[in-house]
Amino acid sequence: NAIERATFLDRQDRNVNATLQLAAKALEVWFMFVATSLVYDIGIMFAKKGRGLPVGYLLTHLEFGDIRYIVNPLLWTSPLPRMQGVPEKRSRIIKLYIFACVTAMLTILANLMGPATAILVLPTLQWIDSPCVMSETFNHTAVAQRPDGEDLFPSCSAEELRNGNYSCTAETYGPSLDQWAAHNTASYRQFTQQEDGTIILGASQEAALAFMINGSASFDTVWVPNRQVLRNMSHEFQILRGAYTEADPPEFPDREFNNSLQTILQRQGPSLGFHAAFYTGNASDYGLSEGRWVRCFTGWTLGSSIWTETKEEYTKCFRLVSDEDRDTYAQFYLGNFNDTNDESSAQSGVGVFVADKAAFYNEQEDFGSGLIDCLIKNNPDGTGETCDWDKIFATEWPADFRNRSVDVGVTSYSVPGESYTNARVWCEHVIFQSFPTYSVDTSPRSNVQNLIMLNDLPKIPKDTKRLNPAWLLTAWSVDYDGELDGDRQIVKALSRVLPITYSDGLVTLEGIEFVFLHFYALGQALSMVNYYSSAPPSWATASATQDPTHPILRNYATIHVWAYGISGRTSILGVTVVVLGAICVLARFLIGLSTGIQERSTVEVLAAAFEHRHQGEFDGLEEEGHLAKVRYQVVEDGEGKQRFLPEKRTSRWSNAVSF
């Protein structure tokens, strides 16, 4: 029972803390004994020499523990001569002021010792990293290759993947994409039909862990956890989770895991992210020589946000190698689903490609490429035969366009319906790679869904990658030129929102729903990309300088435990006070060892005071400040009794001792 276990642990914490508080108080009391003896010994050392010790300092060892003592005027005026014009050595006054300063310091130290010992004796809840294990050296990711490998996906053989039969992933990952689509629809229903509804991102599962696409508030760059990393983490996660869920929790080799309140499993690994832009327009194809061809889309704008109100539109043309080149082009179809509207249920096609070059134009501007002449003015048959495409794609584009004209990835959705022959809702994307830290809370109480988080993501990603279109087919669980079952949730959702998105624009509820559907499909593809690694070198350590493109990936845990540390300001203050206290203890030991002073009780001091015969040293003195300046030596008579002598009248007794 989670509540009973939490109550039991809380009771144990309180008992331990109470015991440690008593220990801290005992240390404070012990230091007060030491500090009192130190003040007493220093006072006696001053009383044995010269003209003696002022009356204002005779009981300093009993008064210094009160913090108010440092503002007592007698502490700072007693060293001064009691009468003006009376000669007094400056060195003697300075020594007495040194005694006053030492006493004031010990007053402050004694009053801080209690909080300081409590700070250091009582542990605090801290997050502590376990020693890093350098698990593997990253070599490269397969993002630009077609999926291949015997153990890449549970339901796919290496032969099926090499033959392009990517529908083999349908058994395991088809429901994952459909789950995202169903969640997307449900969340939008809550958003549109509930007064306080909002859009909540969906999660997907890999082995023992779950993840979400990780985007900023504006979704400028969306990062996706890698499923291979999650599979590698799942075994360790299950072991650590057993500490919470099993009746007999496992004992770990590292003791701190057994005593931790919470454990965060962490692993550094690759992650792919994307920046996507969305448009609506019409598509046109133009054939070139040697099987090459050009596909143009209208509706492109320089701004990538769908929320930008005023934009100048262009037609953007992409140069493709061949529709037979499976490393640059792929297409499939969304099957029909039962719908009363026959037109809206017509088949929709999805094209995915990577273009090495892109060109831009509109009716007013083609940046010197000649596109206006060959496609608008001199293109009566619409074939674009008069275009010099080699010259067009060699055009020097303006700076704002240049980084959007090379190695562009595009996904285009044909709008279902007979009246939408060339209508497209299309998206272009740029893929980035980074090496964040994967973190997962292993407690079932605070992380019921086993959800993983990505930390240390770059603010401005720079490492771009080309995405092989085959990974999109793998994500959709469909073969080249294949057709998805019309009853799949992702097909139903897209077939519903595509016509409305094309006709009413992206800034509509259906348009935003489409954006997230594409996010999920692209995120599914990036999460499935595998990577290759090798054993780390023997010299690898967490602090070693690494190659940023081939980093040594770390694996460690962060535990929440009761621990001691001096990382905070209060801890540093506590250590400083305790160190000064230790110096005082050492000083008391050395002074006592060298002088052999024996501390007298308050009763003995009072008895000696009562036996003292007034010799006129207080005559004419009425104010407290003047009385405190009268100096005495305390000596022993022949019988070992204490005697007070004004200033230097010590002829009858030879040994000045403690008072």
Side-chain angles (χ1 to χ4, degrees), residues 214-215 222-224 271 434-437 454-460:
N214 194 329
V222 178
W223 295 97
V224 186
S271 172
S434 68
F435 297 91
T437 300
L454 295 183
N455 300 317
D456 307 321
L457 290 167
K459 294 182 179 179
I460 304 177

Side-chain angles (χ1 to χ4, degrees), residues 599-622:
E599 186 174 346
R600 300 289 181 171
S601 68
T602 306
V603 173
E604 292 178 290
V605 174
L606 289 175
F610 288 144
E611 291 179 354
H612 173 68
R613 292 182 181 181
H614 179 253
Q615 301 178 24
E617 61 268 22
F618 291 105
D619 291 346
L621 302 179
E622 297 181 357

